[in-house]
Amino acid sequence: MAEEFIVAAAQSSRGTGFGVCYDSETAMNNGNPSSPQSGLFRLTLGGLQQVAGWISSVMPDRDQRLVWQEFRNKAVVFELFANVDTVLELRPGHSYSAAELVERALRLDPFESAWAVEGVGHYLAERHQDGRQRLFCFDGASVDSRWHVPLHVGMGLSFANRILSRLAGKPSPLQVREAVDAFIRLCECNSHPGCEPVAHEALGLVTRNVYSHLVRPVARQLAGIEPEIEEYFWHGVGRGLYFLPANAMPASCAPWIAVNAAEREAPHELARRNMLAGLVWAITLVNLRNPEIPALFLKHHSDVVCQDDVFRNGLTSAMLIWLDCSPEDPSLRSFLRYRPDSGDRDLCQLWDEQVIHACRDMLREGGLSMDERQRVPAAFRYRAFA
């Protein structure tokens, strides 16, 4: 979930090209026209969606149509996350509770509402400075538990940037350790019990996409503090690779250069599996309404992502999360009814093995069991497929 979608098609204050802006209030106060909250940025983002949709509709080659559709999908989910104040028609200067904001998000369609709730988590975390109370309970209003995961994704993205932005350009190992400790404490103080891993995973996305020079130093400190958190971190790094501007453009897809980046950047095998699973996780949820895009990804990269069950792990984890927060979304059933062109027998077989068989029991009557819902936070890291 963008948040799972944090890449902005804008110029970063840390360099040229596409970048990310998390500190929305500072950006607005400084009059930064490239921040997600600025009118110029919103106009640009809306224009990107329209242009990508038009190009997708006129491309003669099917694969090229799909990569432009994928680019449009990324722009759509990013707008729902980054421009949540506009999407939900929030009044400037007005104070909203988590429950009020979630209720507004539910006025959108089921697919859009889940992405918007992630934006709500980030929006609230940016404005919440009291570390002594849980972020989504401080206003005394209850929020349905199915929204805990997207809210914690958005919160984790905000907290990660808040902590890492305080580090010097070349911090010492001790300074990195103190920053990582501070991030973990902040997540623990504000998370609903059991949701801490969801917030932890966001650290990987922010580190890779905004503070790439800190990826190895942060990972080393996490390995010394708690190896399990390091696994979530690398999953977030993989998710970040999908949204990294250089990897997000149509020219970088089909084949997807993010796959090579994950293979190249992983320092060890468990990191590689988590990064690839995070990448598959992102491509599945962003393109849930266009299953032909994950199918094209599978066609190009089955030799890599079908090793060690990383494709099935990333995909089933993504579906589990969506079933938990947005079970009424018709995209879920449409995704699992999809079949590739029967003329491509190899892809049809791969799709059956990696998607249909892996997800065949997920859409049963009654939804997720209580035990399955309790396991949702663990879906933010690679697990060997049973």
Side-chain angles (χ1 to χ4, degrees):
M1 316 189 122
E3 87 305 65
E4 316 97 48
F5 200 59
I6 312 305
V7 172
Q11 191 172 37
S12 170
S13 62
R14 293 180 172 271
T16 58
F18 294 118
V20 181
C21 180
Y22 285 91
D23 192 350
S24 58
E25 292 182 346
T26 299
M28 287 189 289
N29 291 338
N30 291 340
N32 180 1
S34 67
S35 83
Q37 285 71 31
S38 74
L40 176 60
F41 179 84
R42 288 169 176 155
L43 180 62
T44 302
L45 188 58
L48 280 174
Q49 292 182 43
Q50 294 180 15
V51 170
W54 179 80
I55 293 176
S56 175
S57 68
V58 300
M59 277 283 183
D61 179 76
R62 178 180 179 273
D63 288 4
Q64 288 304 308
R65 289 198 301 272
L66 290 178
V67 298
W68 276 99
Q69 179 62 50
E70 181 192 24
F71 183 66
R72 182 179 185 276
N73 293 347
K74 292 172 183 175
V76 167
V77 299
F78 179 67
E79 180 175 26
L80 290 165
F81 170 85
N83 294 339
V84 69
D85 55 337
T86 298
V87 171
L88 303 186
E89 300 179 343
L90 304 184
R91 299 199 305 273
H94 185 77
S95 179
Y96 294 91
S97 70
E100 287 175 317
L101 292 174
V102 170
E103 189 278 329
R104 283 175 174 255
L106 288 175
R107 299 172 191 172
L108 305 172
D109 73 43
F111 178 84
E112 293 176 346
S113 64
W115 290 103
V117 170
E118 185 177 319
V120 165
H122 185 270
Y123 176 91
L124 290 171
E126 290 288 284
R127 290 153 179 77
H128 179 60
Q129 300 298 324
D130 187 354
R132 297 169 299 177
Q133 293 178 301
R134 289 182 191 144
L135 176 59
F136 306 118
C137 300
F138 71 94
D139 52 23
S142 62
V143 175
D144 192 313
S145 62
R146 71 174 175 140
W147 298 114
H148 286 172
V149 165
L151 286 170
H152 281 76
V153 171
M155 180 189 78
L157 294 169
S158 173
F159 287 172
N161 188 68
R162 182 186 303 182
I163 296 299
L164 294 182
S165 66
R166 298 170 183 169
L167 288 173
K170 294 183 179 180
S172 68
L174 177 59
Q175 290 172 323
V176 176
R177 175 63 173 247
E178 290 173 345
V180 170
D181 282 335
F183 171 77
I184 293 173
R185 286 197 305 271
L186 197 56
C187 291
E188 290 175 347
C189 289
N190 286 275
S191 294
H192 183 82
C195 289
E196 295 87 353
V198 180
H200 293 158
E201 193 257 11
L203 179 63
L205 190 154
V206 175
T207 307
R208 178 60 186 85
N209 286 18
V210 189
Y211 308 94
S212 59
H213 63 292
L214 294 176
V215 170
R216 292 295 182 92
V218 169
R220 282 194 290 269
Q221 296 302 326
L222 286 171
I225 296 170
E226 176 51 67
E228 186 174 291
I229 300 180
E230 186 201 2
E231 294 179 32
Y232 288 103
F233 173 83
W234 286 115
H235 190 278
V237 170
R239 198 157 57 89
L241 286 174
Y242 181 66
F243 300 117
L244 195 67
N247 299 341
M249 304 303 290
S252 302
C253 304
W256 281 256
I257 65 173
V259 173
N260 291 335
E263 295 259 274
R264 182 177 64 251
E265 296 180 19
H268 51 75
E269 179 60 19
L270 192 53
R272 185 190 73 86
R273 296 184 189 186
N274 272 291
M275 290 169 71
L276 289 171
L279 174 60
V280 172
W281 188 99
I283 197 172
T284 299
L285 289 188
V286 170
N287 302 292
L288 196 62
R289 295 188 286 194
N290 298 100
E292 60 272 25
I293 294 173
L296 182 63
F297 176 88
L298 183 61
K299 178 178 180 178
H300 277 281
H301 301 290
S302 61
D303 59 326
V304 174
V305 299
C306 291
Q307 296 180 38
D308 313 306
D309 293 315
V310 293
F311 185 88
R312 284 198 291 175
N313 180 265
L315 182 133
T316 55
S317 294
M319 300 294 275
L320 180 68
I321 290 162
W322 216 252
L323 279 166
D324 181 49
C325 70
S326 194
E328 68 278 13
D329 186 354
S331 304
L332 286 164
R333 294 188 181 278
S334 296
F335 191 99
L336 295 181
R337 284 197 299 265
Y338 171 78
R339 293 294 187 279
D341 189 322
S342 59
D344 193 335
R345 297 181 62 182
D346 290 341
L347 181 58
C348 288
Q349 182 177 348
L350 272 173
W351 190 259
D352 283 344
E353 292 172 353
Q354 300 292 322
V355 180
I356 304 305
H357 294 166
C359 299
R360 60 189 169 192
D361 296 327
M362 283 191 163
L363 296 182
R364 61 180 178 275
E365 291 296 325
L368 298 179
S369 67
M370 182 59 69
D371 181 60
E372 286 172 323
R373 297 194 72 182
Q374 291 175 346
R375 295 202 307 267
V376 167
F380 282 78
R381 65 169 170 156
Y382 168 85
R383 307 165 327 284
F385 198 87

